[in-house]
Amino acid sequence: MRKLMYAILFELYALLLAWVQAIGGVRTDEAKYLLNIPYPHPPLARSLIALTSRFPYQELLWRVIFATLVVQAAWIVWWMARELSRDQRVTTMAAWLLCAAVVLQAGSVMMAPLTALEGLLFLALLFEARRNPENWGPWQAFGAGLLWLVSLLTAYQAVLYFPIVVALFLPLRFPWWQKALYVLAPLPLALLFGIAEPAILASFVNAGALNTSLTPMDKALSLFQAWCVGGSILIGIVGIVGMALDRQWAMFLSLALVAAFLYVSFRMYYAILFTPLLVAGMVLFLRRAWSSPVSVLGPVALITVLCVGLFPPSLKPGASRAVMQSIALQGKTGTVLIAGSFGHDWQYESSFPVLRFHPSLLTNAQAVVCLDQCDDMKKRDGWVTLPNLPTEVWVRENDQ
């Protein structure tokens, strides 16, 4: 009964986090997955999301699903820490729930939270394999291998947890070729999607060039900020100490891979990739040392509040939703042309085809959105501006 009450409270918390993310509307990266645009990741998760494309509240549905998965993953932490006392287990669960990265990312429709959840599952399986290797039979090994394949087909960042997967299979009592099959075979299968889709390969090149304009000091500072958010500082410190005390080199190597990835291709939403490793390290630390839950969770909650204040979620919808709703209210048909650089959120919010502006396309257009200057529109007859919008928008006076 108590666990059911906790599960209900966790779900209310997940709904709150999803609602906060929904306030800011769809971001361009989220729109890529909601629209099933074939980059930068393999198709598994985005294809499932695309099945709900006709659902009127698709965005909110997936915010709730993602937030629920990440928040209810606290039960995986509970299972991982089952050798600890009840107070210690509750503390580790609360650390996961209160971590800044979970608070900031749980309700987003992004692949990073899913990848972090998969990383947490591998860590829990690693703990179990080392605790009871004799309980692992063919079906358990097959299930772990299937999870590894699913992870790689969800997002390529799952490869950052490769050392954990290797460490998981090493102690199992199987022939070496079976272990190699489970660990290595999914890698080329996932890579095939990148070879088959040029946009995915192009996104790899772009991701590798994200931080080239930054100095090494700027990159290091960004990485430190991501680590702070990923572990609310205290979880990060305790987690690293726990890994060191328990000599968990696979976890250290995976932590280094996450850090190297963020150093090269920094985005703050990747901070959650640190979280499962640091929370698992915290479990290892609590096996050797313990203090009251308040002394651990109090600072974690305080640091999370500070991190959310420094890197707040967007609470103001972008221009795309208001603009596209106003265009739709005009009751016209035709394409929407956008002058200037725009993201996939404009495509998601529009019920009409969206194209980059070019004068030759005006014949079949019903509206022009000016994210850049488009003074040429003032010289054209039959076009008027819509008032009270966050950007300049021209629409036809009459259908043609």
Side-chain angles (χ1 to χ4, degrees):
M1 188 65 183
R2 180 178 293 176
K3 288 185 178 180
L4 176 61
M5 181 185 68
Y6 281 146
I8 294 173
L9 291 175
F10 290 172
E11 190 57 32
L12 293 175
Y13 180 51
L15 292 174
L16 173 63
L17 296 181
W19 173 74
V20 169
Q21 290 287 341
I23 294 174
V26 175
R27 289 74 161 171
T28 184
D29 286 316
E30 294 176 321
K32 286 188 294 187
Y33 310 126
L34 291 166
L35 293 170
N36 195 20
I37 292 175
Y39 78 94
H41 296 300
L44 182 59
R46 54 181 169 82
S47 295
L48 292 175
I49 293 173
L51 295 177
T52 62
S53 60
R54 297 186 181 275
F55 191 78
Y57 299 102
Q58 182 200 27
E59 172 204 348
L60 184 58
L61 169 67
W62 286 102
R63 290 197 189 284
V64 171
I65 291 174
F66 278 38
T68 297
L69 290 173
V70 174
V71 169
Q72 297 291 352
W75 295 108
I76 300 175
V77 179
W78 174 269
W79 180 61
M80 185 190 302
R82 69 179 183 272
E83 292 180 344
L84 305 180
S85 69
R86 187 178 185 281
D87 284 349
Q88 290 174 314
R89 297 175 77 182
V90 170
T91 299
T92 55
M93 288 180 75
W96 172 268
L97 294 171
L98 295 176
C99 182
V102 170
V103 173
L104 289 169
Q105 286 298 316
S108 63
V109 188
M110 300 289 286
M111 296 301 106
L114 289 186
T115 305
L117 176 58
E118 290 158 351
L120 184 66
L121 282 169
F122 283 122
L123 286 160
L125 292 175
L126 174 63
F127 279 35
E128 180 63 20
R130 292 189 170 178
R131 186 184 295 121
N132 299 303
E134 67 281 356
N135 293 339
W136 278 71
W139 284 110
Q140 287 82 356
F142 175 78
L146 182 61
L147 175 62
W148 178 226
L149 176 61
V150 167
S151 301
L152 290 169
L153 294 182
T154 299
Y156 284 118
Q157 281 80 12
V159 78
L160 302 175
Y161 298 117
F162 179 74
I164 306 298
V165 178
V166 173
L168 164 63
F169 279 95
L170 278 179
L172 302 184
R173 298 171 182 175
F174 291 97
W176 67 267
W177 64 267
Q178 288 186 13
K179 298 178 184 180
L181 179 66
Y182 284 130
V183 173
L184 299 178
L187 294 173
L189 289 176
L191 187 60
L192 283 175
F193 288 99
I195 297 173
E197 180 50 63
I200 294 179
L201 294 178
S203 70
F204 284 164
V205 176
N206 293 335
L210 283 177
N211 289 4
T212 53
S213 62
L214 300 178
T215 66
M217 183 60 69
D218 290 335
K219 294 179 184 179
L221 179 59
S222 297
L223 174 58
F224 177 70
Q225 291 172 344
W227 174 81
C228 290
V229 172
S232 287
I233 299 180
L234 183 61
I235 302 173
I237 294 172
V238 171
I240 290 175
V241 172
M243 293 180 207
L245 292 175
D246 213 63
R247 298 181 180 179
Q248 292 288 341
W249 307 121
M251 292 172 63
F252 264 122
L253 184 54
S254 191
L255 191 71
L257 288 176
V258 173
F261 172 72
L262 277 161
Y263 185 84
V264 173
S265 182
F266 174 78
R267 286 290 185 271
M268 185 54 78
Y269 51 73
Y270 288 135
I272 199 171
L273 300 178
F274 279 123
T275 308
L277 293 162
L278 298 176
V279 171
M282 183 179 183
V283 172
L284 297 175
F285 179 84
L286 293 179
R287 289 177 179 176
R288 300 170 179 267
W290 175 236
S291 57
S292 68
V294 174
S295 65
V296 175
L297 298 179
V300 168
L302 177 60
I303 295 167
T304 292
V305 170
L306 292 175
C307 288
V308 172
L310 290 171
F311 311 103
S314 175
L315 299 179
K316 182 180 179 181
S320 58
R321 179 163 296 181
V323 168
M324 290 305 181
Q325 287 177 349
S326 294
I327 291 174
L329 289 174
Q330 305 305 306
K332 303 179 188 302
T333 59
T335 58
V336 176
L337 306 181
I338 301 182
S341 178
F342 63 96
H344 294 294
D345 52 314
W346 290 88
Q347 294 171 277
Y348 181 78
E349 299 292 355
S350 176
S351 54
F352 307 98
V354 174
L355 299 174
R356 191 174 299 280
F357 175 82
H358 191 276
S360 63
L361 301 176
L362 283 171
T363 303
N364 297 317
Q366 62 164 310
V368 176
V369 180
C370 300
L371 300 181
D372 282 349
Q373 293 293 326
C374 43
D375 295 333
D376 184 58
M377 293 302 300
K378 298 176 183 178
K379 305 174 185 178
R380 296 181 181 274
D381 296 330
W383 293 84
V384 296
T385 57
L386 293 180
N388 304 319
L389 288 176
T391 190
E392 183 180 345
V393 178
W394 293 80
V395 295
R396 289 190 182 276
E397 286 185 297
N398 299 299
D399 291 332
Q400 294 184 357

